Amino acid sequence: MPFNKDFKPVALGDTNLFKPITVGNCKLKNRVVLAPLTRMRAEHPGNVPNKKWAVEYYDQRSKTPGTLLITEAVFISAQAGGYDNAPGIWSEEQMAEWKKIFAKIHENGSFVWPQLWNLGRQAFPECMKRDGLRYDSASDNIWMDDEVKEKAKNAGIEQHGITEDEIKQYIKDYVQAAKNCIECGADGIQIHSANSYLLNQFLDPVSNKRTDKYGGSIENRARFTLEVVDAIVDAIGAERTAIRLSPYNTFGGMSGGYDPTLLAQYAYVIGELEKRAINGKRLAFLDIFEPRVSNPFVDEGVGAYDQGTTEFVFSIWKGIVVRTGNLALHPEVAKEYLKNKNTLLGYGRYYISNPDLVERLRKGLPLSSYDRPSFYAMSDKGYTDYPTYEEAVKLGWDKE
Ligand SMILES: C=C(C)c1ccc(C)c(O)c1
């Protein structure tokens, strides 16, 4: 893919983006963060990180020492999964591959935080039926969309509102997965409580119709997420624990900004995290998915929700924030965000196509466009074959 000719690069080397900051136990030399990016290259069966390509993929994106990388989302257990080609971190075989990946990132002087994932109703129903697993969510049969409802019916599996005992088991699975990450060498973990996956299905009243202590009020809908936070903090420490939230996301049937009460839900969760912080258990960072991207499946710049902002977060949370969402082509927005001294910037799609993105942002170098069709393809094409800027110039891309 050639350079993006429609984008005029801006050097950010003299901005706060390259001001060192300590996150947890990690002394970062820049504030560029590899955002968690599912790439669907894990091996099936076994949900094992790709043995041929994954080490190289993360090696290429961690070359600038002192960079924070959040891995692609990682299933905490088979029951939390439901995609054949996404990785887990519950088995020895999976852990053996992650150890190699984490070691390579550390060899480059960078840091790695796996994102802990639990799909809920975003799982493929047919996979759960095939594997003799439940097809879980916050409530029975509140479908993401009619297509999924039909797939579940054809597979002969109901969508199951999980019981309190099953919630307790998931919390144990989150803790074990977090411990496995640290055993494999990770610097910390990020709890995925965003983008319509299971914890988000509990936070959002559109999917959570429960009448027990996990539903029916802002406090109750936040309970599962906060119990996961507390259990993981107790197991590995607050300085090794982060969380991702997406107040405005509409992907996966979530309410986003269209439910006026949703911001109150997130203000409550973040308020509870700040209360814990004041009591000595401050999470390493909050990763906030900006409404600049209300649905990650739509094209660059499409679908931004402009009726609200995440600025409320800063009235509550006094710790470190990663802000992610369509920033690579918008250095002016990046600079605005960087005025806050606790802010780091997450980069996703353009970090796929620019393995040396940190250096390109520092120097204001042209950005290679990405190839969306290969985002989730089982191939090294669109995964490890994107050139660095120097390699691209040798290929004559600057002459095109
Ligand atoms: C492209 C989307 C919406 C996506 C995929 C995977 C994950 C873990 C996520 O948070 C978002």
Side-chain angles (χ1 to χ4, degrees), residues 15 59 72 110 130 160 178 182 232 256 276 302 310 336 368-369:
T15 72
D59 178 25
E72 65 205 271
S110 288
R130 175 198 68 198
H160 168 65
I182 302 305
I232 289 179
R276 286 157 173 78
V302 174
T310 58
E336 191 57 35
S368 302
S369 299

Side-chain angles (χ1 to χ4, degrees), residues 38 73 115 117 192 195 197 244 251 296-297 376:
T38 288
Q115 184 186 53
W117 205 12
H192 197 338
N195 291 349
Y197 299 107
R244 172 171 260 201
F251 169 66
F297 273 112
Y376 308 116

Side-chain angles (χ1 to χ4, degrees), residues 99-141:
K99 282 175 184 169
K100 296 173 195 167
I101 293 166
F102 299 168
K104 179 59 73 178
I105 292 168
H106 288 147
E107 207 177 289
N108 292 331
S110 288
F111 303 97
V112 60
W113 292 59
Q115 184 186 53
L116 299 187
W117 205 12
N118 191 334
L119 288 179
R121 71 180 192 177
Q122 274 275 23
F124 293 149
E126 64 278 17
C127 290
M128 306 315 272
K129 178 72 174 181
R130 175 198 68 198
D131 297 344
L133 297 166
R134 302 186 313 262
Y135 176 49
D136 284 348
S137 187
S139 299
D140 290 342
N141 296 329

Side-chain angles (χ1 to χ4, degrees), residues 265-283:
Q265 178 72 56
Y266 285 94
Y268 173 77
V269 171
I270 294 166
E272 282 296 313
L273 297 176
E274 183 61 23
K275 277 166 65 175
R276 286 157 173 78
I278 291 166
N279 292 323
K281 293 186 176 179
R282 182 172 293 285
L283 299 190

Side-chain angles (χ1 to χ4, degrees), residues 321-332:
V321 178
V322 175
R323 300 181 77 172
T324 304
N326 187 17
L327 292 173
L329 303 185
H330 296 277
E332 73 287 355

